Amino acid sequence: MTLLAVGLLMVGGVAWWTVDHYTAKVDRISGVFPTEVPEAARPAPSHGGQTFLLVGVDSRSDLPTTGRDAKAPQWTYGAQRSDTMMLVNLPDDHSGAYVVSLPRDAWVDIPGHGKSKLNAAFSWGGPPLLIDTVQRLTKVRVDHLAVIDWDGFKNLTDSVGGVDLVVDGANRHMNGTQALTYVRERHHLARGDFDRTHRQQYFLRTLLGKVMRPSTFSNPAKATAVLDDLTAAVSVDDRLSDGDLRELLWDNRNVRPGSMVFMNAPAKGTDTISGQSVVLLDNSAGAELWQSMREGKVDAYLRSHKADRLGATTS
């Protein structure tokens, strides 16, 4: 996945031939972009660098659905829900990354289906319908797609020796299984889906920091295990060639967790519609954020707007 991949290049003496080898092992998904979309609904290319849509799959299948070890379809009608959706903007100056979580329960217009929760788009139409829905919602062009199955991150977490997270004010060391439980929790959180997305962001930021430690790559056996688990857990669209991925890694080689900003999409709150608990997005505030992403001015947006940003820790 992009957030982790940008940290691998030249960390702890990782040689270029290693990067070259492992980018070729990343699984590609074909046919992820929508094709039958009216011209008026197609967003123009952004002037703010590249934007990835990161999708974490909450699969009902017991088999891996993404990555090199995939044995089940990446999408089957009604069988998978996009548990996590994040727009990851990498600015042209390669100064950092802006990560905006879109609540899975956001009540949005899904082309051809009317109003429903955002994660239903993936269930009904796979990546093309989800990308079409997100692009119409934000008017931000999705340049690339990255898909992970949270189950695939259990092995990666264990490969780096687990992660240390602050939960309810206490430090906790978690292995892969415990971390997966942590990011999936949603029913006992004060702010529900909003706290859940921050947990996902917090875990990803912490895991990225652990992956990028020089000690991770000082031991060849450990480095191999980490790289094998990472490339086995992620899939990207087939428009992202090996050369494109290597260029992406090189351009963002100086990006570190501290230069990444994580936030939630602007929202008004929650409601119950047709018996479903949903998140109501703030379309007015959101329009300003999406415009800043299209124009490469997210930093200026954050200086003048209050955003629901991830803090140093989250419960």
Side-chain angles (χ1 to χ4, degrees):
M1 104 184 215
T2 307
L3 286 181
L4 291 172
V6 296
L8 296 181
L9 183 64
M10 308 303 287
V11 175
V14 176
W16 180 253
W17 68 263
T18 304
V19 175
D20 185 62
H21 171 72
Y22 278 100
T23 53
K25 297 180 70 173
V26 176
D27 185 60
R28 299 313 203 272
I29 313 172
S30 61
V32 305
F33 292 97
T35 55
E36 300 179 2
V37 179
E39 185 66 31
R42 299 176 189 174
S46 298
H47 299 290
Q50 293 191 80
T51 299
F52 282 69
L53 178 60
L54 171 66
V55 178
V57 177
D58 182 13
S59 173
R60 297 175 190 173
S61 169
D62 291 330
L63 299 174
T65 59
T66 190
R68 193 170 57 250
D69 295 332
K71 297 180 178 63
Q74 283 151 339
W75 175 78
T76 301
Y77 183 88
Q80 286 99 11
R81 295 273 177 165
S82 46
D83 176 70
T84 305
M85 289 152 289
M86 299 179 181
L87 282 175
V88 182
N89 179 251
L90 303 174
D92 279 332
D93 63 3
H94 314 302
S95 59
Y98 301 101
V99 185
V100 183
S101 288
L102 301 167
R104 52 172 282 170
D105 292 340
W107 193 247
V108 299
D109 287 308
I110 299 178
H113 297 271
K115 289 275 192 179
S116 191
K117 293 183 179 182
L118 178 58
N119 71 337
F122 189 85
S123 180
W124 291 336
L129 184 58
L130 178 59
I131 290 175
D132 189 18
T133 300
V134 170
Q135 289 188 152
R136 293 184 193 229
L137 173 68
T138 64
K139 297 181 175 59
V140 172
R141 178 173 174 173
V142 173
D143 298 299
H144 293 291
L145 176 78
V147 182
I148 61 171
D149 191 317
W150 281 111
D151 282 322
F153 271 63
K154 288 193 296 186
N155 290 338
L156 180 60
T157 303
D158 289 333
S159 293
V160 297
V163 292
D164 296 306
L165 302 174
V166 178
V167 183
D168 296 327
N171 293 316
R172 286 190 55 190
H173 182 78
M174 297 187 187
N175 60 26
T177 299
Q178 294 166 329
L180 189 64
T181 300
Y182 171 81
V183 299
R184 281 180 166 167
E185 174 64 43
R186 65 190 301 237
H187 295 296
H188 304 299
L189 302 178
R191 299 196 308 150
D193 212 23
F194 305 113
D195 284 343
R196 187 170 186 261
T197 52
H198 275 326
R199 279 191 170 208
Q200 294 167 350
Q201 296 168 356
Y202 180 37
F203 165 69
L204 290 175
R205 184 181 65 187
T206 304
L207 180 59
L208 173 58
K210 194 74 177 286
V211 167
M212 292 172 65
R213 288 181 181 176
S215 59
T216 299
F217 296 95
S218 61
N219 181 322
K222 182 177 182 180
T224 298
V226 169
L227 290 167
D228 280 340
D229 286 336
L230 174 60
T231 55
V234 64
S235 299
V236 298
D237 66 89
D238 62 359
R239 292 184 184 177
L240 191 66
S241 68
D242 291 346
D244 291 334
L245 188 52
R246 289 192 292 271
E247 183 178 356
L248 178 75
L249 294 171
W250 177 258
D251 287 342
N252 293 279
R253 64 192 180 278
N254 294 319
V255 174
R256 294 294 182 268
S259 56
M260 296 178 179
V261 178
F262 293 81
M263 70 190 97
N264 286 330
K268 295 179 179 178
T270 60
D271 199 356
T272 300
I273 299 177
S274 301
Q276 304 178 78
S277 177
V278 304
V279 172
L280 301 178
L281 296 177
D282 188 331
N283 293 327
S284 178
E288 295 184 69
L289 172 59
W290 309 135
Q291 180 180 355
S292 74
M293 189 174 289
R294 294 192 300 269
E295 297 177 352
K297 300 178 179 178
V298 180
D299 188 52
Y301 169 88
L302 291 172
R303 289 197 298 267
S304 59
H305 293 75
K306 183 178 180 180
D308 183 12
R309 295 174 57 165
L310 175 67
T313 62
T314 186
S315 296

